[in-house]
Amino acid sequence: MLKWTMALLCGIACVVGISVLFIQVNNHQGEIKQAATAPAMPDAPLNVQAAEAIYKQSCIACHGTDLEGKMGPNLQKVGGKLSDQQIYKLIQSGKGGMPSFKGTIKDEEIANLARWLAEKK
């Protein structure tokens, strides 16, 4: 009786494990498709003063006056971790506790801010 119970429990664990694996693969494929269909970053030159103004207007409350992080993460070396494209998509779409700024800030301004932040290494 104990052998059948253990075999049944092992079988259930295998089915659950395989199900979780398929769900994770499906979620990852959805993320890849979403990244591929995300709009490309507009090609605009970096304007440091405009980027700093946008940062002060929209980001300073969570990321601090010197990019040191408050409620949001420290951004002082964000360019060493993320590319300007990745930063652009993050600002545009939001992530976790960070809101999306797609409808709040123009795409060109988001691109400028992303380029400015990408220089922080």
Side-chain angles (χ1 to χ4, degrees), residues 16-29:
V16 168
I18 290 171
S19 299
V20 168
L21 179 65
F22 279 113
I23 290 170
Q24 292 297 326
V25 168
N26 191 26
N27 287 345
H28 183 67
Q29 288 175 343

Side-chain angles (χ1 to χ4, degrees), residues 23-89:
I23 290 170
Q24 292 297 326
V25 168
N26 191 26
N27 287 345
H28 183 67
Q29 288 175 343
E31 290 172 2
I32 291 171
K33 287 179 185 177
Q34 184 180 13
T37 59
M41 187 168 89
D43 189 27
L46 174 63
N47 180 338
V48 174
Q49 290 81 14
E52 288 174 350
I54 294 166
Y55 179 83
K56 287 177 183 174
Q57 178 185 2
S58 302
C59 312
I60 203 167
C62 295
H63 296 286
T65 55
D66 295 321
L67 305 164
E68 75 275 9
K70 286 184 176 183
M71 292 179 351
N74 183 315
L75 299 177
Q76 292 173 339
K77 296 183 181 183
V78 70
K81 299 173 189 169
L82 301 173
S83 70
D84 58 352
Q85 292 280 339
Q86 291 170 317
I87 296 169
Y88 172 79
K89 289 178 183 175

